Amino acid sequence: MMNIRGIVSAIIGGLLGTLTACGQKAAMPEGQLLSIEYTESGTMAGFKYEGHAEKQADGSVMLRVSSEAYGPLVEKRVGQEVLDSLRAIIEEEKMYEYKSHYEPPFEVLDGEMWTFGAQFEGEQTIFSGGSNAWPAGNGLRRIRDYLDRLKEEGR
């Protein structure tokens, strides 16, 4: 489940995304990636997917992934290279250019919602989300696939 920190990050990220959408060209945040979160949920149900990686005080990265609806949450420590790889995906897929929110052209009463957030050094953030609409490209799929592979390694 998305925690309070994630909700606050989503609100701040949404506001920053709105400011970027008002005329400034989005740029890849500088500095190290500190945390990332990607979630999917049904609009009429709970979480279907949750992936989170966050740098810890000791330099390790805590990974939390649940890739089944109401399934078990796998938690494990991984190395800094995980956040480096996720940062590379964000940059390669230009995920920093995502709009703050995606909506379909027609109203959908049921379906899927998603959120993506990334926190970088220097309080720089990326936040995006959508309801039955997604950005172009493979960024979200690559993030999810990578987190799922990490979850399965060593099991």
Side-chain angles (χ1 to χ4, degrees):
M1 292 191 299
M2 186 178 245
N3 56 27
I4 297 297
R5 186 175 182 185
I7 293 169
V8 171
S9 177
I11 292 168
I12 291 170
L15 291 172
L16 291 174
T18 301
L19 293 174
T20 300
C22 293
Q24 293 182 354
K25 177 92 169 125
M28 178 67 185
E30 295 180 17
Q32 197 174 63
L33 178 64
L34 301 176
S35 69
I36 191 168
E37 183 170 48
Y38 176 62
T39 63
E40 296 174 1
S41 61
T43 55
M44 303 299 275
F47 284 96
K48 294 174 18 175
Y49 181 85
E50 178 181 4
H52 184 86
E54 182 174 19
K55 185 173 185 173
Q56 304 297 295
D58 67 1
S60 68
V61 175
M62 179 58 76
L63 181 71
R64 294 179 183 88
V65 181
S66 176
S67 56
E68 304 168 27
Y70 306 106
L73 180 66
V74 173
E75 296 181 291
K76 65 181 182 179
R77 288 191 185 269
V78 294
Q80 174 62 41
E81 68 277 0
V82 166
L83 289 177
D84 295 340
S85 295
L86 289 164
R87 187 186 193 291
I89 293 170
I90 292 168
E91 189 164 14
E92 291 165 10
E93 296 290 338
K94 298 183 179 177
M95 296 173 76
Y96 53 88
E97 293 181 348
Y98 283 4
K99 296 187 299 186
S100 62
H101 189 72
Y102 290 82
E103 293 184 23
F106 302 102
E107 183 176 12
V108 178
L109 299 178
D110 195 9
E112 295 185 356
M113 295 172 44
W114 61 273
T115 61
F116 167 75
Q119 175 73 43
F120 296 81
E121 290 175 322
E123 302 296 320
Q124 299 176 88
T125 61
I126 297 171
F127 179 79
S128 187
S131 177
N132 300 303
W134 293 262
N138 295 316
L140 296 173
R141 183 176 326 126
R142 286 183 65 195
I143 295 287
R144 181 176 173 158
D145 288 349
Y146 183 67
L147 294 174
D148 281 344
R149 274 194 313 273
L150 292 170
K151 178 190 83 155
E152 295 302 322
E153 284 179 4
R155 290 184 86 192

